[in-house]
Amino acid sequence: MRDSYEVVIIGGGIIGSAIGFNLLKMGVKDICVIEKSYVSSGSTGRCAGGIRQQWSSPMNVRLAMRSVELFKNFEKDVGMDIEYKQGGYLLLAYTPEEEEDFVKNVEMQRSQGLDVEILSKSQIKSKFGFMNLEGVRIGSWCQSDGHANPQIANIAYSMAIKRMGGDFITHTKVESIDIANKKIVGVQTDRGYIRTNTVVNAAGFESSKIGKMVNVDIPVYGERHQILVTEPVNHFLDPLVINFNHNYYIRQTKHGSLLMGQGDANPMPGEDLGNSIEFLEEMSQKMVRDFPLLRNVHIVRQWSGAYDMSPDAQPIIDESKDLSKFIYATGFSGHGFMLAPAVGESVAEMIVHGKTITMDISNLRMDRFKNHIEIEKNVV
Amino acid sequence: MMYDAVIIGGGPAGMSAATILGDKVKTLIIDENDRLGGQLVKQTHKFFGDHEHYASMRGFEIADKLLKEIQKKPVLISLSSTVIGIYPQNTVAYVKDGQIQKVQYKKLLLATGAMERQLPFVNSDLPGVYGAGAIQTLMNQYGIFPGKRFLIVGSGNIGLILAYQLAQSGVEVKMILEALDKVGGYEVHANKVKRLGIPILTGHTIVRAIGDEKVEGAVIARVDKNNIVKGTEREVVVDTICVAVGLTPLIELAEQSGAKVSYIPELGGYVPLRDERMRTTNKDVFVAGDLSSIEEATTAMMEGKIAAMQMVEDLTGENLEDKIYDDLNSLAIFRSGPKSAKIRTGLEKMGINVPKIDLPKPQRFERYDDSKLHAVIECTEEIPCNSCEYACKFDAIKVGININSVPSFDPAKCTGCALCVTSCPGLAIFMKRSEDKAATLGIPYEFLPLPKMDDKMWGLDREGNYVCDVKVKRVVKNPNKTNIVYVELPSEFADMVRHVKYPSKESPYVCRCEEVTLDEIEKVIDLGVTDFEELKRLTRVTMGPCNGKNCKMVVLGILSKKTGIPISSLSHGTSRPPTKPIEFRAFLKEGEE
Ligand SMILES: Cc1cc2nc3c(=O)[nH]c(=O)nc-3n(C[C@H](O)[C@H](O)[C@H](O)COP(=O)(O)OP(=O)(O)OC[C@H]3O[C@@H](n4cnc5c(N)ncnc54)[C@H](O)[C@@H]3O)c2cc1C
Ligand SMILES: Cc1cc2nc3c(=O)[nH]c(=O)nc-3n(C[C@H](O)[C@H](O)[C@H](O)COP(=O)(O)OP(=O)(O)OC[C@H]3O[C@@H](n4cnc5c(N)ncnc54)[C@H](O)[C@@H]3O)c2cc1C
């Protein structure tokens, strides 16, 4: 750790790491990422690794599509195999309202150039005969969606950053941010002071705390989500399946284990990341019903992590109006991993060029909350 | 020719009977092999059981000892003689040198033992699929190995012992499959193979053998109540499949002799009905050993003696009641433990009552004084064995009247002589002295070559995973071939290391669940990953079904050694539920089952 950097990124999760990597790629060498614990200790370390493009607003679809472009080249660009697989995403509709939404979304997504289609129940049956499709009306299917290993991706970015000449400082906590004349002058950590003019707040569900240090209100809070993993079984499931109606998602990792989770009925706000036995009970009931072959499969581990929730369940990516060069990329609301490569690129562009170049992400600015809030529905 | 007593079958049951009958009446013993001993001659491991019945001797040594006793007596022995039938007028017909011979008996003892059960699976007729007995015969009697990589199906004592012997001979045993949800054989036998790194997969079976002309692999899968669990099938590469799924009595001759048989699965299938003194429904025909119930050499010998004494009483009128009573009593005690529950049930079905005796809990003693060398006894299952008690000359080990009791150990009386270590047939006793930093560990060792002073070896844990490097300090050779290797190691690992092995070219497994080797871990650390959590995410070490129970300490040890950070300052991750893998169905509400 040196005593001064051009850019200091707070938070060594997937977002902070992607931003750091892209800055270095764009030639900004004098940067550091500061992480209070180990790499992937935050939400990224708890994440299921789903990568989807089927969103309900055109800008989000485009951003996700850009991310997929970058994921395709991840191994070459960042230098590590992250088990990326375009096995598709299957979304299931059970009610007439869901069906209507799916049809509308698919039409919009196709207009953005996404390879998405509606599948009839019998088409789903013939593709995924092992599922119990009782009550299913239609499905929305996108083959280029997929999944990867978020923890390895996070570590891959961190190693690339060090390799490219940046600093990645773990077990170091930012305690305050120093301001003089409405400008950032430095960052105080528990292991020393760093001079800098540019700070990126990528502290995940704790980014509101970083905001408080400089009196910037960041409406992001943690919400506990639980997840479990099974023993490895023979490969049978290519896509990640999302079932909003039964409230779960499931995917199979390269290793063969199955990852699955749900949104708890009364999600716990805050940072308590404990586990509940009810989660296992609820998951077992519905997962065995919809995937009968899971019946005798062993659950090996359960854990929980915080979704980094924003008021409309969409990310907040912006530079503060009140404090220049205080940039935040947060509030990913349970889908920050899949967006990380594209967000890393856009935020780096904001720092280098003062605005985004590749993508238009103006819909993710903070000022949207002044108007009415349109909540992203497609979230588990 | 007429004999008072004819014995068919020269295993431990028949031989023990001959030692008694031989003095008293005109006796003939017939066996199809070219030497006496039955199953014993194939057994190179130390036997369990009662010290008075040769416990802690190796199987073939017991056969030699019995033979010497028989040879002192005027017993006629007809070897290489296969009995082909029992005919009217008490006639036994056998083939010897291609010729039929006939003899008559007044009393007949059948001790023909048992044959191996078959297991139906696809391609079970491929060359490369063997029964356990065939492999033992090839290996222990002829020194021939039918393959290089073995899959063993069945975790009864036979499967476990075979796995151990194969490993001793230097061939690879990939794994042992067991369809039930727990190991069939004795825990100590299971532990012996596990610490060699041979996994025992309970709840698993073989689905089919793979290969065109010979075995090239096998498909295995999880089983649930005899059903194969779909989606759990996987292939393993092996060139030999060994089926060790139990024995079933050879009853043909018994039936021909007029003895009634009955199906009693607890005793091994169809067995001759008989009374407590081994007399069948034909008053002149007796049975003993595996033919009467699949059990052990010890019980076979006791049964052989009881039958023989009753035959003597019948033939000569001599009163042997006291001796018979004594032997019946030892047999009942032998069978009183939990591992004999099945036999007791089976015998009850036959009208023979064997009491279950509640065994006393082993006496607990104060914490060990770790600064002096003392024994560590890891024998927690109630099995009929007391060789340690006999070995200890200082009264530190007590099994007591009931041979099924778990040994009590009083460390204050232990002098560190290690006689118990070499006598234990389960290799379940170790020596230990632990000081601040370094510890000394004595490990029973039955492999060749014998380690040499100052050699560096790998210390392996109870699952055969690498724990740390150890240094050989002393090697105590023993005539019974259970040698003791004393090694020095860091004291925090003294309770983890249970086997030592010379470093091999391939890097050792640290985490067997996820098959992560020492090399892989060190490489990732060399890349600059010095956090346990990151190391885990990159290598999957500790992320398997055991959740790191077995290897977490070892990984921390490696990390500490390479980074210089003491273990106490490293973060060790989170202990997440469930602590044991659990099936989804366990959470289903009733009615959905
Ligand atoms: C159970 C679960 C499943 C999920 N599944 C998916 C999925 O399938 N697909 C998907 O795209 N997303 C998923 N997500 C969401 C995804 O994990 C997050 O959106 C994403 O990881 C956010 O990344 P981040 O870098 O912003 O946050 P984090 O990974 O939380 O990183 C923030 C980092 O900042 C550090 N930090 C905080 N305060 C300080 C400080 N003062 N000083 C220094 N460092 C600090 C923290 O230690 C932390 O490491 C899931 C999340 C959970 C919990
Ligand atoms: C791998 C293995 C490990 C074991 N380990 C132990 C142990 O540690 N401790 C222990 O107590 N027990 C152990 N046993 C069990 C023990 O070996 C048997 O219970 C015991 O040998 C049974 O003795 P038996 O005399 O009834 O039969 P066997 O020993 O089977 O002898 C029967 C004999 O009869 C002969 N025979 C059969 N039919 C005919 C015929 N028609 N004509 C002529 N001869 C015939 C057979 O060839 C054989 O020689 C082990 C067994 C095996 C296979």
Side-chain angles (χ1 to χ4, degrees):
Chain A
M1 181 163 102
R2 297 201 304 273
D3 59 4
S4 129
Y5 291 93
E6 194 177 330
V7 181
V8 169
I9 299 163
I10 306 175
I14 194 76
I15 296 293
S17 305
I19 295 169
F21 171 79
N22 277 283
L23 280 169
L24 285 153
K25 235 179 111 175
M26 292 175 199
V28 185
K29 300 278 179 200
D30 187 19
I31 66 138
C32 76
V33 178
I34 299 187
E35 167 55 51
K36 69 174 168 171
S37 182
Y38 59 90
V39 183
S40 84
S41 55
S43 304
T44 310
R46 319 294 160 100
C47 169
I51 300 170
R52 90 165 125 139
Q53 304 153 94
Q54 303 178 61
W55 293 99
S56 56
S57 89
M59 268 194 221
N60 285 349
V61 174
R62 285 199 300 271
L63 189 64
M65 285 172 72
R66 175 64 188 158
S67 238
V68 164
E69 277 317 301
L70 297 167
F71 270 118
K72 282 195 213 159
N73 288 321
F74 194 100
E75 184 168 357
K76 206 170 92 239
D77 285 355
V78 188
M80 208 182 271
D81 172 6
I82 57 166
E83 300 168 7
Y84 179 54
K85 178 181 166 107
Q86 288 185 296
Y89 249 67
L90 175 67
L91 279 49
L92 296 169
Y94 285 74
T95 64
E97 299 78 56
E98 274 186 313
E99 181 171 349
E100 200 180 307
D101 274 356
F102 276 29
V103 172
K104 229 170 46 205
N105 279 340
V106 165
E107 196 182 325
M108 177 278 288
Q109 290 156 356
R110 288 181 75 94
S111 76
Q112 301 303 315
L114 188 65
D115 58 335
V116 59
E117 59 188 307
I118 293 290
L119 295 186
S120 69
K121 184 171 176 175
S122 64
Q123 282 174 311
I124 304 172
K125 185 91 216 160
S126 71
K127 253 174 128 68
F128 308 107
F130 49 81
M131 284 183 66
N132 171 3
L133 296 175
E134 206 185 312
V136 169
R137 298 174 73 90
I138 57 164
S140 164
W141 167 254
C142 173
Q143 177 69 62
S144 63
D145 283 349
H147 44 73
N149 182 320
Q151 293 81 42
I152 296 187
N154 201 166
I155 297 171
Y157 273 137
S158 76
M159 288 177 149
I161 287 171
K162 290 191 241 177
R163 219 172 36 236
M164 292 159 83
D167 272 350
F168 201 109
I169 302 154
T170 55
H171 300 286
T172 304
K173 184 174 181 180
V174 171
E175 290 178 329
S176 62
I177 299 170
D178 221 7
I179 303 178
N181 301 324
K182 296 209 155 189
K183 280 199 170 125
I184 294 172
V185 292
V187 164
Q188 179 66 49
T189 78
D190 57 355
R191 287 178 49 200
Y193 186 83
I194 302 170
R195 280 178 288 122
T196 187
N197 296 318
T198 306
V199 164
V200 180
N201 175 3
F205 69 93
E206 294 177 288
S207 52
S208 55
K209 293 188 200 159
I210 306 292
K212 273 210 188 79
M213 296 175 186
V214 290
N215 282 321
V216 173
D217 180 35
I218 296 178
V220 169
Y221 59 96
E223 183 180 282
R224 182 185 77 168
H225 277 245
Q226 303 194 64
I227 177 167
L228 67 84
V229 67
T230 69
E231 67 187 316
V233 296
N234 281 354
H235 186 83
F236 71 95
L237 187 63
D238 281 337
L240 189 149
V241 179
I242 298 193
N243 192 326
F244 298 113
N245 197 272
H246 296 170
N247 178 22
Y248 68 77
Y249 61 84
I250 175 171
R251 79 152 170 118
Q252 188 167 21
T253 67
K254 182 182 175 203
H255 164 258
S257 53
L258 294 149
L259 279 171
M260 57 193 87
Q262 66 174 11
D264 287 343
N266 301 302
M268 305 214 318
E271 294 163 20
D272 175 9
L273 300 181
N275 304 299
S276 80
I277 185 89
E278 290 76 17
F279 169 69
L280 297 185
E281 283 163 4
E282 289 162 21
M283 288 300 286
S284 300
Q285 312 273 333
K286 60 189 169 196
M287 297 318 289
V288 171
R289 186 186 55 207
D290 288 3
F291 293 82
L293 43 61
L294 290 181
R295 195 183 161 77
N296 297 324
V297 172
H298 287 88
I299 301 168
V300 164
R301 226 171 0 258
Q302 70 175 124
W303 66 91
S304 64
Y307 271 22
D308 34 1
M309 297 306 293
S310 77
D312 60 357
Q314 308 216 42
I316 310 173
I317 303 174
D318 209 346
E319 180 176 343
S320 171
K321 295 280 162 301
D322 306 319
L323 179 60
S324 86
K325 303 212 168 171
F326 182 64
I327 293 147
Y328 35 84
T330 176
F332 289 90
S333 309
H335 44 281
F337 169 63
M338 59 184 79
L339 296 176
V343 167
E345 179 180 71
S346 284
V347 173
E349 287 171 355
M350 284 165 66
I351 293 166
V352 175
H353 304 287
K355 59 175 200 289
T356 64
I357 309 277
T358 315
M359 301 305 298
D360 174 7
I361 51 167
S362 53
N363 64 322
L364 302 178
R365 285 191 194 137
M366 185 74 93
D367 58 14
R368 69 181 187 268
F369 297 120
K370 287 196 192 126
N371 311 322
H372 87 290
I373 292 174
E374 179 83 41
I375 295 177
E376 171 65 60
K377 272 181 294 192
N378 285 351
V379 181
V380 181
Chain B
M1 177 74 98
M2 167 67 89
Y3 289 90
D4 292 325
V6 172
I7 303 169
I8 307 178
M15 289 179 92
S16 301
T19 61
I20 288 179
L21 287 161
D23 294 329
K24 315 263 185 187
V25 298
K26 186 171 163 195
T27 305
L28 167 69
I29 179 165
I30 309 175
D31 195 284
E32 62 195 341
N33 300 294
D34 58 9
R35 60 196 270 205
L36 292 180
Q39 292 288 343
L40 293 177
V41 299
K42 297 185 222 165
Q43 309 308 338
T44 54
H45 64 284
K46 284 188 293 193
F47 269 46
F48 278 92
D50 193 343
H51 183 75
E52 285 170 20
H53 288 94
Y54 317 112
S56 104
M57 279 174 76
R58 291 173 198 277
F60 64 92
E61 295 168 346
I62 300 178
D64 287 348
K65 197 145 181 171
L66 284 170
L67 183 63
K68 284 208 185 90
E69 264 183 70
I70 293 177
Q71 281 166 342
K72 285 185 215 146
K73 303 179 177 173
V75 178
L76 239 106
I77 303 174
S78 185
L79 294 173
S80 306
S81 307
T82 304
V83 176
I84 58 154
I86 312 286
Y87 292 91
Q89 272 91 47
N90 291 5
T91 304
V92 173
Y94 61 92
V95 198
K96 185 175 175 139
D97 302 330
Q99 290 286 303
I100 289 286
Q101 311 277 339
K102 286 183 286 182
V103 292
Q104 280 175 301
Y105 59 83
K106 288 186 185 148
K107 300 282 166 189
L108 176 66
L109 174 64
L110 294 169
T112 47
M115 63 174 225
E116 282 177 274
R117 284 228 184 94
Q118 309 281 322
L119 183 71
F121 56 87
V122 184
N123 289 338
S124 63
D125 56 345
L126 265 186
V129 180
Y130 293 86
I135 293 186
Q136 278 203 321
T137 307
L138 288 175
M139 174 170 76
N140 295 343
Q141 280 178 267
Y142 301 104
I144 296 171
F145 294 95
K148 291 203 175 74
R149 272 188 173 176
F150 287 70
L151 170 69
I152 294 180
V153 186
S155 75
N157 278 335
I158 298 187
L160 296 174
I161 287 168
L162 189 70
Y164 184 75
Q165 292 173 345
L166 285 166
Q168 277 182 313
S169 329
V171 297
E172 184 186 354
V173 180
K174 264 265 179 222
M175 56 181 71
I176 302 173
L177 306 182
E178 170 57 57
L180 300 178
D181 57 8
K182 63 175 204 279
V183 171
Y186 293 158
E187 192 175 60
V188 284
H189 273 322
N191 291 344
K192 260 165 71 174
V193 300
K194 283 203 272 190
R195 70 174 86 110
L196 303 180
I198 300 171
I200 304 175
L201 277 62
T202 53
H204 275 79
T205 192
I206 181 167
V207 182
R208 64 190 160 89
I210 308 172
D212 290 331
E213 271 153 32
K214 57 180 181 49
V215 171
E216 283 160 18
V219 176
I220 67 169
R222 276 239 310 280
V223 273
D224 175 42
K225 299 195 192 88
N226 287 323
N227 299 317
I228 283 161
V229 182
K230 277 211 218 87
T232 63
E233 298 91 348
R234 64 186 169 107
E235 287 183 14
V236 293
V237 180
V238 293
D239 60 14
T240 313
I241 295 167
C242 167
V243 180
V245 292
L247 304 170
T248 191
L250 275 171
I251 56 160
E252 288 74 8
L253 296 181
E255 279 204 289
Q256 291 170 20
S257 74
K260 284 211 183 75
V261 301
S262 176
Y263 183 70
I264 305 183
E266 291 86 353
L267 302 182
Y270 279 100
V271 288
L273 288 174
R274 44 102 178 165
D275 66 13
E276 201 182 23
R277 299 181 175 199
M278 313 313 295
R279 192 197 302 270
T280 66
T281 52
N282 176 340
K283 70 174 181 15
D284 296 328
V285 179
F286 292 76
V287 289
D290 279 355
L291 166 62
S292 70
S293 54
I294 304 298
E295 246 177 305
E296 315 224 346
T298 315
T299 48
M301 287 186 272
M302 294 188 197
E303 287 184 346
K305 279 164 66 187
I306 292 167
M309 288 189 279
Q310 185 58 50
M311 288 161 81
V312 171
E313 281 197 350
D314 282 10
L315 288 163
T316 67
E318 186 184 343
N319 183 335
L320 297 170
E321 287 303 298
D322 283 353
K323 284 203 177 120
I324 294 179
Y325 180 80
D326 275 358
D327 274 14
L328 283 172
N329 195 40
S330 339
L331 194 53
I333 290 180
F334 194 92
R335 285 177 174 150
S336 67
K339 278 272 159 177
S340 299
K342 242 170 70 182
I343 297 289
R344 289 198 299 271
T345 313
L347 290 176
E348 253 161 51
K349 286 188 180 173
M350 224 186 256
I352 298 169
N353 189 27
V354 187
K356 174 177 188 301
I357 301 171
D358 279 328
L359 302 171
K361 289 269 155 284
Q363 209 182 328
R364 292 263 157 254
F365 292 92
E366 281 303 289
R367 255 185 77 86
Y368 298 170
D369 171 8
D370 260 350
S371 66
K372 79 171 203 198
L373 192 67
H374 62 77
V376 175
I377 302 186
E378 300 191 343
C379 174
T380 56
E381 196 181 39
E382 291 164 334
I383 54 171
C385 184
N386 61 5
S387 26
C388 51
E389 180 176 34
Y390 275 87
C392 183
K393 302 286 172 272
F394 305 96
D395 237 16
I397 305 176
K398 276 261 166 313
V399 173
I401 312 226
N402 193 317
I403 186 173
N404 287 287
S405 301
V406 169
S408 302
F409 173 60
D410 181 356
K413 291 188 180 153
C414 178
T415 62
C417 73
L419 282 174
C420 54
V421 177
T422 54
S423 80
C424 175
L427 303 191
I429 309 183
F430 305 85
M431 299 304 294
K432 178 181 148 188
R433 174 178 54 225
S434 187
E435 269 142 356
D436 250 8
K437 283 226 158 69
T440 303
L441 203 58
I443 290 176
Y445 192 85
E446 300 184 332
F447 291 80
L448 289 173
L450 260 190
K452 288 191 300 293
M453 274 280 284
D454 294 330
D455 278 356
K456 188 189 108 176
M457 296 181 82
W458 286 343
L460 307 182
D461 70 7
R462 294 176 178 81
E463 261 74 37
N465 296 316
Y466 172 86
V467 173
C468 59
D469 289 344
V470 302
K471 196 167 155 192
V472 178
K473 298 308 276 180
R474 188 154 66 97
V475 177
V476 180
K477 273 173 81 165
N478 249 294
N480 80 353
K481 300 215 175 64
T482 302
N483 307 302
I484 307 179
V485 176
Y486 287 91
V487 297
E488 190 179 79
L489 74 175
S491 46
E492 65 255 38
F493 296 126
D495 292 327
M496 285 178 79
V497 170
R498 282 300 173 265
H499 187 56
V500 292
K501 170 183 165 179
Y502 272 110
S504 48
K505 268 190 246 97
E506 294 107 64
S507 184
Y509 283 120
V510 169
C511 167
R512 194 164 294 271
C513 301
E514 294 297 327
E515 302 190 344
V516 189
T517 63
L518 175 63
D519 217 36
E520 288 169 74
I521 292 172
E522 289 186 332
K523 276 203 184 110
V524 173
I525 299 174
D526 289 340
L527 283 176
V529 178
T530 53
D531 242 295
F532 172 70
E533 290 279 3
E534 293 170 26
L535 191 62
K536 164 179 136 186
R537 284 165 166 83
L538 280 177
T539 61
R540 296 200 54 85
V541 72
T542 75
M543 285 173 81
C546 89
N547 273 325
K549 254 186 232 89
N550 299 316
C551 62
K552 194 184 262 184
M553 262 306 288
V554 180
V555 178
L556 291 172
I558 299 166
L559 203 52
S560 162
K561 194 169 149 193
K562 286 201 70 108
T563 58
I565 307 167
I567 291 185
S568 52
S569 314
L570 291 168
S571 96
H572 69 286
T574 327
S575 302
R576 297 195 157 119
T579 49
K580 276 211 181 99
I582 179 157
E583 287 169 322
F584 280 103
R585 63 169 173 176
F587 292 98
L588 300 186
K589 296 237 170 67
E590 271 171 326
E592 282 166 319
E593 264 291 307

